[in-house]
Amino acid sequence: MIETVTTNQESIDMTTLLQVTSFLKNILSVNIELLARIEERFTRDSHAQSIGDIFLKLTPFLKIYSNYTVVFGDIPTYISSLTRLPYFNTFLTDFQRRINETCLVSLHDVFIMPIQRIPRYSLLLRELLQNTEESHPDFEALTTSLALVQEVATSLNTHLHQEENRRKILEIQSRFIIAYSFQDPQLVAPHRVFIKEGDLQKIGKKAVKQKYLLLFNDILVWATHIKFDRVSTFERLRFENSLPLESMFLKDVPSLPNAFAVQSPKKSFILLSSSAQEKDEWYKILQSQSRSARHHVGSRPRSVSNLEFGFLAPIWVPDYLASSCHSCQTHFNVIHRRHHCRACGFVVCNHCSKHKLVLSSISQEPVRVCNECHTKNTEQKRSHSFLQL
């Protein structure tokens, strides 16, 4: 394969191929050495009953498999980039003809074989232990070797999951339009882990709109689908906003089927699911991830009920659902206009929202609040003052 690529006159990036082949050569050398020592042991003594010491000496070198997993994920993309070259397609055709005689299906199967080797070593050592008595001289060496191989297998799986997660986030990032006035969501971060994605409806101030949600271990992102034309099925995403999970709280909305509220100091809103099952899945995983995020940053557990007044942004009641003032029931018209209380989100008239308060979740400037919220804030301050006496 290297000869096929290097004989080409075009400019080809050889970095990935050289890294892969270098790691494969090292892996092959370790396996050849392991096989040679086992064969030598049984050639000298056909009745030999100890091979644990051989595994014990060579098992530490199996850690080179972790290096291979770093570049393994690049292989499919790299091979795909080479298929545009006619001579490489000729090589693939010839290679496919030769492997048809084996159990392999494609070139990718060849590259994944080294990763499959470690679990097989683990199975071999486990089977040997099952058939070896504890009093046998080889038992201790086999036990230690199995522990080392399992350690390598765990590390291998961790690397594979991390690499798969990194590629998934990069793939998601590439779907966002960041040209013109569209904002870059900047999803790629060393600590970030992808959790879940899907479409839900978001109840806004003016209407109910479909949003594409992306849940990570530290943030919730929502975006809008964008099609380039009516015929094309190719879609991109436009970033709208995100919320940190450590300051996010959930609340059920009994009055709306399959709905739940997302509340935070930055923004609060109601999400609608297409079914009870979908709602339950999203609610549970958001609840779990927000609690984990608070634990990770060291925030003490809190519930919505014991948060200070104005800490959470309100869920605004949509204009189209408010035909009259929430407080005095006066119907809205040209004279009696709608106003949203910035503390509770209810729609009230001018007479019932004469006061202003500084709400830390919105701004440092006083904003309009309804009379009820103003009274509640005054009572809470008096309560705090009394407790401090």
Side-chain angles (χ1 to χ4, degrees):
M1 182 174 174
I2 294 179
E3 291 177 1
T4 303
V5 175
T6 52
T7 53
N8 171 47
Q9 297 301 316
E10 298 182 45
S11 176
I12 301 290
D13 183 8
M14 296 287 292
T15 306
T16 300
L17 184 57
L18 292 175
Q19 283 182 332
V20 170
T21 52
S22 174
F23 290 139
L24 286 177
K25 285 178 181 178
N26 292 334
I27 290 172
L28 182 61
S29 297
V30 172
N31 284 275
I32 289 175
E33 181 66 20
L34 179 61
L35 177 61
R37 292 193 182 190
I38 292 174
E39 287 180 339
E40 182 185 3
R41 174 70 55 84
F42 284 96
T43 300
R44 289 204 318 262
D45 181 4
S46 59
H47 300 289
Q49 295 189 9
S50 296
I51 59 171
D53 58 313
I54 297 175
F55 275 98
L56 198 56
K57 289 177 181 177
L58 292 178
T59 299
F61 294 99
L62 297 180
K63 292 182 180 179
I64 60 174
Y65 280 86
S66 296
N67 297 329
Y68 180 66
T69 60
V70 175
V71 296
F72 173 74
D74 294 324
I75 295 174
T77 305
Y78 184 72
I79 292 177
S80 177
S81 70
L82 294 177
T83 54
R84 63 183 175 82
L85 307 172
Y87 67 87
F88 188 76
N89 284 321
T90 303
F91 162 78
L92 282 180
T93 303
D94 181 60
F95 182 82
Q96 191 68 49
R97 178 183 56 79
R98 282 183 283 147
I99 67 173
N100 281 341
E101 302 172 3
T102 69
C103 296
L104 300 175
V105 178
S106 66
L107 184 60
H108 182 265
D109 292 336
V110 176
F111 286 111
I112 204 173
M113 283 178 68
I115 293 177
Q116 296 171 336
R117 176 67 58 180
I118 295 297
R120 290 172 182 171
Y121 279 145
S122 182
L123 288 172
L124 171 62
L125 290 169
R126 190 177 288 110
E127 188 172 349
L128 285 171
L129 270 173
Q130 288 175 352
N131 292 278
T132 303
E133 296 180 357
E134 292 187 18
S135 58
H136 194 282
D138 209 27
F139 186 84
E140 185 177 348
L142 287 173
T143 303
T144 305
S145 297
L146 177 59
L148 290 172
V149 169
Q150 288 177 333
E151 184 181 324
V152 173
T154 301
S155 174
L156 205 62
N157 287 332
T158 300
H159 278 85
L160 286 173
H161 287 315
Q162 289 175 344
E163 188 62 21
E164 183 181 350
N165 175 73
R166 184 182 71 86
R167 293 179 189 286
K168 176 64 176 178
I169 294 178
L170 286 171
E171 182 269 326
I172 292 173
Q173 176 77 47
S174 68
R175 286 152 59 188
F176 280 89
I177 300 175
I178 57 175
Y180 311 110
S181 60
F182 297 145
Q183 188 178 349
D184 183 357
Q186 298 181 347
L187 300 178
V188 180
H191 64 281
R192 186 156 293 150
V193 179
F194 169 75
I195 305 295
K196 185 178 174 64
E197 62 185 323
D199 287 300
L200 290 178
Q201 289 186 312
K202 179 174 174 285
I203 298 181
K205 180 182 176 182
K206 300 294 184 183
V208 178
K209 295 182 179 180
Q210 181 172 293
K211 303 297 177 185
Y212 192 68
L213 268 64
L214 293 156
L215 176 62
F216 300 89
N217 64 323
D218 62 332
I219 57 171
L220 174 66
V221 175
W222 61 97
T224 303
H225 291 285
I226 293 181
K227 280 190 176 182
F228 286 95
D229 54 65
R230 294 181 179 179
V231 180
S232 175
T233 58
F234 180 69
E235 288 186 342
R236 298 291 292 276
L237 296 172
R238 181 181 67 193
F239 173 76
E240 290 203 2
N241 218 326
S242 66
L243 290 179
L245 296 188
E246 70 265 17
S247 59
M248 191 178 77
F249 298 86
L250 301 182
K251 185 173 69 174
D252 200 13
V253 184
S255 59
L256 291 174
N258 307 327
F260 61 93
V262 175
Q263 296 177 281
S264 78
K266 180 179 178 182
K267 201 171 185 65
S268 298
F269 47 85
I270 294 176
L271 292 174
L272 289 172
S273 306
S274 59
S275 66
Q277 180 182 349
E278 184 182 52
K279 175 212 168 179
D280 191 50
E281 289 176 358
W282 273 103
Y283 192 93
K284 285 182 177 178
I285 199 164
L286 280 168
Q287 190 82 282
S288 173
Q289 291 299 320
S290 60
R291 286 172 178 168
S292 296
R294 281 192 286 275
H295 176 76
H296 182 72
V297 299
S299 298
R300 62 184 180 87
R302 290 189 291 180
S303 62
V304 175
S305 59
N306 61 20
L307 294 174
E308 64 182 30
F309 181 84
F311 177 80
L312 296 176
I315 299 173
W316 281 30
V317 174
D319 289 348
Y320 58 87
L321 292 180
S323 58
S324 61
C325 173
H326 173 73
S327 297
C328 69
Q329 309 307 315
T330 300
H331 284 275
F332 295 121
N333 51 40
V334 178
I335 299 175
H336 298 284
R337 297 182 180 274
R338 293 177 175 85
H339 298 279
H340 274 89
C341 170
R342 267 56 174 181
C344 66
F346 283 113
V347 183
V348 291
C349 65
N350 182 64
H351 177 74
C352 295
S353 55
K354 293 289 188 181
H355 303 281
K356 288 188 176 184
L357 292 173
V358 175
L359 301 176
S360 58
S361 63
I362 298 176
S363 72
Q364 298 304 313
E365 297 295 325
V367 291
R368 182 191 291 265
V369 297
C370 67
N371 297 346
E372 292 180 23
C373 286
H374 181 266
T375 302
K376 186 187 296 183
N377 179 62
T378 303
E379 290 175 351
Q380 189 179 78
K381 285 184 176 180
R382 287 175 181 171
S383 176
H384 287 171
S385 299
F386 176 76
L387 292 174
Q388 291 173 359
L389 292 177

